[in-house]
Amino acid sequence: MKLVLKYGGTSISTPKDIQNVAKHIQFLSKQNKLAIVCSAISDTTDDLIEISQSIKKENKKKAELLAKNIANRHQQLAKQTIKKSQIRKKLLQTFNEYFDELNALIDGMVLLGEVTPRSMDYLFSFGERLSIQIISAAIIDIGKKSIPLTGKEVGIVTDSNFGNSKPLMDTTRLRVSKTLDPLIDKKTIPVIGGFVGADQHGHITTFGRGGSDYSATIIGSCIKAEEIWLMSDVDGLMTADPKIVKNSKVLPEVSYIEAVEMAMFGAKQIHPRTFEPLLSKKTPMRIRSSFNTKNKGTLVTSSPSASAKNTVKCVSSVSHNGLIDIRGGSMIGTPGTAAKIFATLADASINVMMISQNPSESSITIVVKNTDLDKAVNILELELLGKIIKKLEVTTDMAIIALIGSGMRGTVGVASKVFGSMAKNKVNVSMITQGSSELNLAFVVKNSDTKAAVKALHEEFELSKIN
Ligand code: ASP
Ligand code: MG
């Protein structure tokens, strides 16, 4: 089978874990054609982001200290992971060149006093540039041929939307297959850095946080992989967050659309565009643990088998949101009100997570992240209060609870079960939405009610009995 294996940062952050990953890759390579995609090693991207923030605050010392931490972490890891001295020496040499480049970049950004989306993407790309070197070296260390390639080197071409770029798929397909196919045929295992590509001018771009998942499916589509496996520290998609529900279970099978919903609601963080490249060829994806390779994880396909069609598959929650209730008599029957509100929020780059409008049209309620709340209220007040809006009412610290499952579609009684259960548990519901796809029923409660709500629903729909 032609396989793309993507490893998340937590799967490759200790010497033992990297060696195990290399061994597993060696084992799989006997029967399969492989391409590997890697995230940055744990905490590295966070540190790089903090470097950019420190530069913005003109705190050069802090930026340099963080860069030093990254260097130390990778050097330590290289020394403890790679057994053959030749390979280790070469790896450390490459690392040193990258650290010099990283420090030069920090100097440059400090000197210019300029932290642009473009320079940030260049900075953030160091995480994956470093991780692929060590993973590839670990594979060579146990006697297999391997080559590290950055997203740019492998041929991922994107638009120039720095920080949130999209691949130009036709160009990318040509270039990536031209780079990878001969390597795979020669049994050289390519280890590709996720998250990163380059625009048509060769400037480094990124896909946004968690973008390595997206890289994996892009690569998979280019080389016509038969399956994509996302290897991380979780056993698969779960019926609920195991930190909240003790007897939550791994879901054996879900559909793409369900997985998209689950990814959006943070059941397991997956880059939201990850599924796009899979759709045309209906390539199956597995979400598996790199620590527990006996477990088959969750299979994501276009059409799950009949036995996997439970009404509700999972209950997830996202805490720390703010609810804004927007009121005004003149909103009633005035076309364009919603457009103005959402355009105003979009201009301020505020992501709206939930929307509802009552049929009398006198109020629109939206949910945004707590961290965006201040900005959202401020811009609405500035631009629209006293015009189309009469009043803004804000509630902080709210959680979204979402039930996901395509079997809810056309099933009578789901809502009554849900809200009956909330009433029994004395949980107050502030807002409700259900898309017409009936794939997702979401509602808003107080943060402090999150656990009670999730537990009650997990019980109500008997999710611990999912096979
Ligand atoms: N290293 C990047 C991040 O932490 C991309 C990824 O891990 O998928 O967001
Ligand atoms: Mg990651």
Side-chain angles (χ1 to χ4, degrees):
M1 190 155 61
K2 207 180 219 183
L3 269 181
V4 174
L5 299 174
K6 179 259 167 178
Y7 289 92
T10 47
S11 294
I12 48 172
S13 291
T14 70
K16 195 94 234 100
D17 294 339
I18 295 177
Q19 285 163 353
N20 284 340
V21 162
K23 276 186 215 146
H24 193 227
I25 290 172
Q26 182 187 37
F27 168 74
L28 289 169
S29 73
K30 288 182 192 144
Q31 308 256 354
N32 305 284
K33 295 182 164 181
L34 302 182
I36 314 298
V37 175
C38 288
S39 286
I41 280 155
S42 287
D43 301 332
T44 308
T45 308
D46 289 335
D47 286 347
L48 291 164
I49 291 172
E50 215 180 324
I51 289 180
S52 73
Q53 286 158 352
S54 306
I55 300 173
K56 267 186 204 158
K57 290 183 200 139
E58 295 175 18
N59 190 345
K60 187 175 181 214
K61 278 231 161 62
K62 174 99 184 275
E64 282 169 347
L65 189 73
L66 286 158
K68 187 105 194 77
N69 284 347
I70 294 175
N72 287 342
R73 184 181 312 142
H74 284 83
Q75 272 158 346
Q76 280 306 326
L77 211 48
K79 283 179 194 157
Q80 294 167 9
T81 307
I82 308 298
K83 298 209 173 92
K84 298 201 176 99
S85 68
Q86 277 299 329
I87 301 169
R88 189 173 56 234
K89 225 167 116 189
K90 193 167 156 241
L91 174 63
L92 286 167
Q93 234 165 31
T94 311
F95 273 176
N96 281 336
E97 285 161 26
Y98 283 171
F99 302 143
D100 288 345
E101 186 184 334
L102 176 60
N103 284 319
L105 175 64
I106 292 172
D107 281 346
M109 286 169 78
V110 169
L111 202 64
L112 291 170
E114 224 175 58
V115 183
T116 60
R118 184 172 137 191
S119 56
M120 281 199 277
D121 273 1
Y122 180 18
L123 177 65
F124 300 163
S125 75
F126 275 87
E128 275 74 9
R129 285 173 72 189
L130 293 164
S131 68
I132 55 172
Q133 292 293 334
I134 188 161
I135 302 305
S136 186
I139 295 172
I140 298 171
D141 203 31
I142 54 171
K144 296 245 30 138
K145 285 187 284 181
S146 171
I147 179 171
L149 294 164
T150 64
K152 179 177 171 177
E153 286 164 344
V154 80
I156 295 180
V157 184
T158 72
D159 60 19
S160 302
N161 190 5
F162 296 99
N164 189 18
S165 63
K166 285 204 179 76
L168 307 177
M169 267 322 272
D170 292 318
T171 319
T172 298
R173 190 165 286 117
L174 283 174
R175 295 197 188 174
V176 169
S177 61
K178 197 168 153 212
T179 322
L180 292 185
D181 288 337
L183 291 172
I184 296 173
D185 286 339
K186 277 191 305 189
K187 294 210 162 293
T188 299
I189 300 173
V191 178
I192 304 144
F195 178 52
V196 174
D199 72 2
Q200 281 159 305
H201 312 289
H203 299 134
I204 288 176
T205 55
T206 67
F207 295 132
R209 289 311 303 262
S212 299
D213 298 332
Y214 191 29
S215 302
T217 57
I218 292 168
I219 303 268
S221 151
C222 293
I223 61 168
K224 302 197 178 66
E226 283 147 280
E227 278 193 20
I228 321 278
W229 294 359
L230 300 186
M231 311 294 286
S232 68
D233 56 351
V234 301
D235 278 325
L237 295 173
M238 308 282 293
T239 53
D241 182 345
K243 281 188 224 111
I244 300 179
V245 182
K246 288 271 162 336
N247 60 355
S248 60
K249 293 277 153 57
V250 173
L251 287 157
E253 222 178 313
V254 304
S255 67
Y256 290 135
I257 37 173
E258 288 170 330
V260 170
E261 294 285 326
M262 291 178 194
M264 301 250 274
F265 279 88
K268 139 125 180 66
Q269 299 284 330
I270 303 174
H271 192 284
R273 288 206 300 276
T274 300
F275 301 94
E276 273 169 31
L278 303 177
L279 299 180
S280 66
K281 292 223 170 50
K282 301 194 167 66
T283 315
M285 183 165 91
R286 272 187 193 280
I287 298 168
R288 308 182 57 162
S289 163
S290 67
F291 300 100
N292 178 8
T293 48
K294 284 203 189 74
N295 193 319
K296 292 223 161 8
T298 302
L299 179 67
V300 188
T301 63
S302 63
S303 47
S305 54
S307 66
K309 284 188 180 134
N310 305 56
T311 321
V312 170
K313 284 198 177 155
C314 95
V315 38
S316 55
S317 58
V318 195
S319 323
H320 307 298
N321 304 299
L323 194 136
I324 310 175
D325 195 28
I326 305 164
R327 305 232 179 116
S330 58
M331 286 162 56
I332 302 172
T334 313
T337 306
K340 273 190 200 123
I341 292 171
F342 294 113
T344 305
L345 293 167
D347 285 345
S349 305
I350 290 156
N351 187 34
V352 178
M353 302 173 75
M354 263 172 94
I355 305 167
S356 89
Q357 177 183 267
N358 62 345
S360 79
E361 301 176 23
S362 62
S363 120
I364 291 179
T365 311
I366 60 167
V367 177
V368 299
K369 288 215 172 72
N370 260 359
T371 44
D372 281 340
L373 190 60
D374 198 316
K375 207 159 87 177
V377 173
N378 189 261
I379 196 78
L380 287 173
E381 197 169 3
L382 210 63
E383 300 284 325
L384 302 179
L385 197 68
K387 296 172 195 157
I388 55 170
I389 298 179
K390 274 246 167 56
K391 199 168 161 217
L392 286 173
E393 216 161 89
V394 181
T395 324
T396 56
D397 298 316
M398 303 300 274
I400 300 175
I401 310 288
L403 286 151
I404 299 162
S406 48
M408 285 196 281
R409 183 176 208 148
T411 305
V412 177
V414 175
S416 91
K417 240 174 149 176
V418 172
F419 299 114
S421 154
M422 290 305 98
K424 247 189 284 164
N425 286 278
K426 303 207 165 30
V427 172
N428 184 48
V429 176
S430 311
M431 171 182 177
I432 304 168
T433 63
Q434 180 179 44
S436 54
S437 69
E438 297 184 38
L439 191 67
N440 182 329
L441 173 68
F443 57 94
V444 177
V445 302
K446 278 208 247 77
N447 256 348
S448 50
D449 284 334
T450 309
K451 281 187 183 163
V454 172
K455 277 186 189 156
L457 291 170
H458 199 267
E459 190 105 322
E460 187 71 46
F461 287 93
E462 301 186 326
L463 294 183
S464 61
K465 293 191 186 143
I466 238 165
N467 47 350

